């Protein structure tokens, strides 16, 4: 087994990859929008784009996401978030998912998303 950490800081890594020989698990930290002044729709788009970027580093795509946890500042944003989520998730590849109303670390953040993906061991990582 091999563990690779991407964008490692003193408290967490943006992504941790666990190589299990024939498969790899990709654990992404909770992602938030770069522009916290956007509404939940804009923030969700930014977060999902960042998730796409992190997955691509290991040759993964949205189709490889097996689990997601979505944290919303207010449950009133649930429908708007789901509209963006439904555009992002490929048909036939819906992951297991939980959505939680939560007080996020910065009051301007409206959404945070954490995902886990699983892929075969054919490596084509992007540095």
């Amino acid at each position: 087994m091999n563990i690779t950490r991407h964008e490692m800081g003193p408290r967490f890594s943006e992504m941790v990859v666990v190589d299990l020989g024939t498969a790899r698990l990709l654990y992404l930290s909770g992602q938030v929008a770069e522009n916290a002044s956007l509404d939940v729709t804009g923030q969700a788009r930014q977060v999902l784009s960042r998730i796409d970027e992190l997955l691509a580093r290991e040759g993964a795509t949205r189709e490889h996401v097996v689990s997601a946890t979505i944290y919303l500042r207010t449950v009133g944003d649930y429908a708007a978030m789901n509209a963006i989520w439904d555009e992002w998730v490929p048909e036939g590849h819906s992951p297991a998912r939980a959505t939680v109303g939560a007080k996020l670390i910065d009051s301007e953040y409206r959404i945070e998303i954490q995902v886990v993906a699983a892929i075969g061991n054919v490596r084509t990582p992007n540095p």
Side-chain angles (χ1 to χ4, degrees):
M1 177 174 70
N2 187 37
I3 299 173
T4 305
R5 290 168 172 76
H6 294 264
E7 296 182 40
M8 184 173 48
R11 292 187 181 92
F12 66 92
S13 297
E14 289 296 329
M15 179 171 59
V16 175
V17 179
V18 180
D19 186 335
L20 299 171
T22 60
R24 286 181 290 140
L25 297 176
L26 287 60
Y27 295 90
L28 279 65
S29 292
Q31 300 297 310
V32 294
E34 296 238 352
N35 183 351
S37 69
L38 297 172
D39 65 5
V40 71
T41 299
Q43 287 192 27
R45 288 186 197 285
Q46 281 192 349
V47 169
L48 293 170
S49 177
R50 174 70 172 145
I51 290 170
D52 284 336
E53 291 170 13
L54 288 167
L55 292 171
R57 289 183 185 184
E58 288 292 324
T61 67
R62 303 169 187 180
E63 293 179 355
H64 296 105
V65 174
V66 296
S67 178
T69 304
I70 301 171
Y71 303 93
L72 292 174
R73 182 178 79 187
T74 176
V75 294
D77 286 339
Y78 186 72
M81 177 277 301
N82 269 336
I84 302 307
W85 179 261
D86 291 345
E87 292 173 6
W88 185 78
V89 174
E91 187 174 339
H93 296 278
S94 300
R97 189 185 102 175
T99 304
V100 179
K103 183 175 181 178
L104 300 177
I105 198 70
D106 183 320
S107 63
E108 290 192 26
Y109 291 134
R110 301 187 67 86
I111 185 170
E112 182 172 343
I113 303 176
Q114 180 181 16
V115 301
V116 176
I119 58 177
N121 204 16
V122 178
R123 274 193 94 128
T124 55
N126 298 321

